[in-house]
Amino acid sequence: MTRTDFVVLGAGPAGLGAAYRLSYLGFRVIVLERQAVVGGLAGSFEFAGQRVDYGSHRLHAATPAPILRLLRARLGDELQQRGRRGRIRIRDRWLAFPPGPAAIARSLPPGFLVRAGLSAAVATVRPRRDRNFAEYVTTGLGRVMGEAFYFPYARKIWGVEPDGLSGEQARRRISADTPWKLARRVSARKQGGRFFYYPAGGFGRIPEVLAEAAVEEGADIRLSTEVAGIRFGDSSVTVATSGGDRIKAGQVWSTIPLTSLAELVETVAGDPTPGVAGIEYRAMLLVYLAVPSGRYTPFDAHYFPDRDIAMTRVSEPKNYRDGPDPPDRTVLCAEIPCSPSDDMWSRTDHELGAMVGDALARCGLEHPRPVEVAVRRLRFAYPVYRIGYEESLTPLIAWADRRRNLVTFGRQGLFAHDNTHHTLAMALAAADAVGRDGRLDHVSWEAARRSFDRHVVED
Ligand SMILES: Cc1cc2nc3c(=O)[nH]c(=O)nc-3n(C[C@H](O)[C@H](O)[C@H](O)COP(=O)(O)OP(=O)(O)OC[C@H]3O[C@@H](n4cnc5c(N)ncnc54)[C@H](O)[C@@H]3O)c2cc1C
């Protein structure tokens, strides 16, 4: 049986960031990843001669300086700083996204702006209420903004009515949640929301260079290796893999979905695994269209909050970078949140490609007439915070915490809607809580974990 200090489950940014830092600190680390490549949701792959991502991915300007330094040191000039250039379709009109004041004044009907302003003014004099998503938005930004943008968007992204979602979902998802913050964001032209970082070779270069750094420090990354079972002892853990290996470790650090972790851990008498029924993930279809022209539009992404269009966003990876992309073709990636029980989930590539093409044409864009279509299905795309989700999440986290040689973190591991820079911050904070003897300081880890509750997702 192999022995090591740490087994890290999952080679997405969180698992790789932790593996890098723990090996740098001198510990023996083995990473187990079920896919044949590193990256998780933040990975890239090749389609129609181009590197493409799992939906629109950008490294946001809010990335903390130490993480940016680490990535810059590995990526050098490959990490480009880019101005954002997106568009959102609201009430059959296109608006620059993120919008500036001129674009708002030019693109939205004056009657709508007056009603939105009045309803926001009412919100500012009423107390904030947050029992559900709808209430949080209405008492923060006003009902008109909610109904025009946030409510349809919530229904599409999470598949739940806005008053059936927890207020926490809004708090973690809407960074400009008062008229003042919204006005500041709209007017500050140089603010972080207007630029982003992106590697010329695709977003997946970020996890790839983290994996290279971890391996250089001695980490052993085992791809195509699924975790099949985990047994906790008093001072060590045994992890069984799908290939029949058994690895004994001082600690297991998990970034796989909390629900999968609960299924993999051997039950101990007197400490049953809590139910996971309230832990719900939204799935997503990613439909890639290879378009036979140099560029489809000059925009990096188009956003579609309205219900009559199935996708929430369509991105054009070529416009995120100055990269080694072919001059005569481009790729579009449409994101369609759904549930595996929806009929949409099992449609053929051809049907989905045709649906996306037709929807773009209905919005006044040229029909892309794709020469090739590919579809990827993400089962764990977004955590859904339905009202009452805490009743399942809290006992599950407490159950994990009772295993003193288990740390669960990352987007899937903490059931958080977080960005890549957040999950990297989690990984580095966890590694920083490890003493020279390899033990985790549970008090500092708990303090770090509380700070993650303040993460607000960037779009
Ligand atoms: C559509 C979309 C758009 C996004 N856009 C952005 C963006 O613009 N900017 C941004 O910063 N973030 C964005 N994100 C979020 C970003 O993808 C995540 O924050 C990041 O990938 C999370 O990293 P992670 O390591 O926590 O989890 P993951 O990337 O999910 O990694 C978990 C890993 O665990 C592996 N695994 C699961 N089960 C097992 C098992 N049993 N055995 C072994 N391995 C297993 C998985 O294969 C995976 O590799 C977006 C996410 C989505 C879905």
Side-chain angles (χ1 to χ4, degrees):
M1 188 186 307
T2 320
R3 278 174 182 274
T4 188
D5 297 319
F6 292 85
V7 169
V8 175
L9 313 184
L16 293 169
Y20 162 65
R21 187 57 75 96
L22 289 169
S23 345
Y24 171 81
L25 293 171
F27 298 109
R28 288 171 300 167
V29 180
I30 296 177
V31 182
L32 305 179
E33 167 57 52
R34 68 142 67 111
Q35 301 292 340
V37 289
V38 300
L41 289 176
S44 297
F45 63 97
E46 182 126 343
F47 169 65
Q50 278 185 43
R51 290 266 286 173
V52 296
D53 307 332
Y54 291 92
S56 163
H57 269 79
R58 343 170 172 256
L59 185 67
H60 290 286
T63 302
I67 292 174
L68 201 52
R69 268 200 304 277
L70 167 65
L71 297 177
R72 276 209 172 113
R74 303 295 312 189
L75 286 161
D77 291 345
E78 200 197 326
L79 189 65
Q80 300 170 355
Q81 182 173 327
R82 311 275 302 185
R84 287 190 67 147
R85 192 155 188 216
R87 287 200 300 183
I88 185 166
R89 189 164 173 82
I90 297 183
R91 304 164 83 84
D92 291 339
R93 293 175 189 229
W94 290 112
L95 180 66
F97 190 84
I104 289 178
R106 212 175 33 241
S107 311
L108 292 177
F112 170 78
L113 291 176
V114 170
R115 281 189 299 115
L118 285 174
S119 122
V122 171
T124 59
V125 295
R126 293 211 170 134
R128 174 125 228 181
R129 291 204 308 270
D130 61 358
R131 283 174 307 182
N132 60 54
F133 185 97
E135 211 174 65
Y136 188 95
V137 173
T138 307
T139 59
L141 292 165
R143 177 157 288 282
V144 174
M145 278 295 285
E147 279 168 0
F149 175 66
Y150 293 98
F151 298 168
Y153 184 71
R155 286 184 192 105
K156 266 171 91 166
I157 282 250
W158 297 295
V160 179
E161 283 301 311
D163 59 3
L165 286 168
S166 160
E168 186 65 9
Q169 190 108 56
R171 198 191 58 69
R172 292 201 189 203
R173 205 61 180 75
I174 304 174
S175 48
D177 60 356
T178 65
W180 318 121
K181 283 194 206 164
L182 194 59
R184 250 202 325 272
R185 175 159 276 214
V186 163
S187 60
R189 293 214 65 83
K190 288 212 164 78
Q191 225 192 6
R194 303 205 174 270
F195 72 89
F196 65 100
Y197 303 100
Y198 191 90
F203 197 81
R205 289 290 295 141
I206 292 176
E208 283 164 15
V209 296
L210 287 170
E212 282 160 24
V215 169
E216 276 170 28
E217 295 297 342
D220 173 1
I221 300 177
R222 301 187 185 174
L223 300 174
S224 306
T225 306
E226 187 158 353
V227 182
I230 308 170
R231 176 190 282 177
F232 285 91
D234 285 341
S235 57
S236 65
V237 196
T238 305
V239 180
T241 71
S242 48
D245 284 344
R246 280 156 56 81
I247 305 164
K248 195 164 192 169
Q251 291 178 43
V252 164
W253 283 27
S254 173
T255 71
I256 69 176
L258 207 43
T259 43
S260 314
L261 179 69
E263 281 162 14
L264 288 168
V265 172
E266 195 177 283
T267 310
V268 179
D271 190 8
T273 313
V276 297
I279 307 292
E280 193 184 330
Y281 288 90
R282 185 79 160 150
M284 177 175 278
L285 287 166
L286 295 168
V287 185
Y288 298 88
L289 311 182
V291 182
S293 69
R295 259 177 226 289
Y296 180 64
T297 74
F299 299 98
D300 49 34
H302 287 85
Y303 296 79
F304 303 90
D306 283 349
R307 211 173 205 172
D308 58 333
I309 302 290
M311 54 271 191
T312 43
R313 180 163 55 188
V314 174
S315 51
E316 187 169 354
K318 204 180 204 183
N319 294 346
Y320 283 60
R321 61 200 180 210
D322 289 319
D325 295 313
D328 56 344
R329 102 195 74 116
T330 188
V331 171
L332 302 178
C333 170
E335 297 169 33
I336 307 177
C338 59
S339 152
S341 59
D342 294 347
D343 122 86
M344 182 84 84
W345 187 253
S346 41
R347 287 193 195 171
T348 64
D349 293 10
H350 177 75
E351 286 168 338
L352 290 166
M355 186 193 76
V356 171
D358 291 348
L360 291 171
R362 267 192 287 135
C363 293
L365 293 164
E366 195 184 325
H367 197 294
R369 313 240 169 267
V371 287
E372 201 180 337
V373 176
V375 174
R376 295 282 166 123
R377 291 174 169 78
L378 304 180
R379 180 62 197 83
F380 299 95
Y382 297 130
V384 181
Y385 291 2
R386 256 183 221 273
I387 287 184
Y389 78 100
E390 305 92 329
E391 286 159 30
S392 295
L393 184 61
T394 308
L396 203 52
I397 297 274
W399 164 86
D401 283 349
R402 285 197 291 282
R403 276 132 196 94
R404 302 306 270 178
N405 33 16
L406 168 68
V407 176
T408 177
F409 64 109
R411 177 166 162 126
Q412 321 282 11
L414 286 178
F415 194 61
H417 202 137
D418 282 4
N419 292 123
T420 298
H421 64 275
H422 295 131
T423 67
L424 280 172
M426 289 180 189
L428 301 187
D432 286 349
V434 174
R436 289 178 118 162
D437 58 0
R439 285 171 198 269
L440 183 80
D441 173 350
H442 287 271
V443 176
S444 33
W445 171 236
E446 179 49 31
R449 219 164 54 177
R450 275 198 300 275
S451 74
F452 308 152
D453 291 342
R454 293 195 295 276
H455 287 169
V456 178
V457 180
E458 307 275 337
D459 238 330

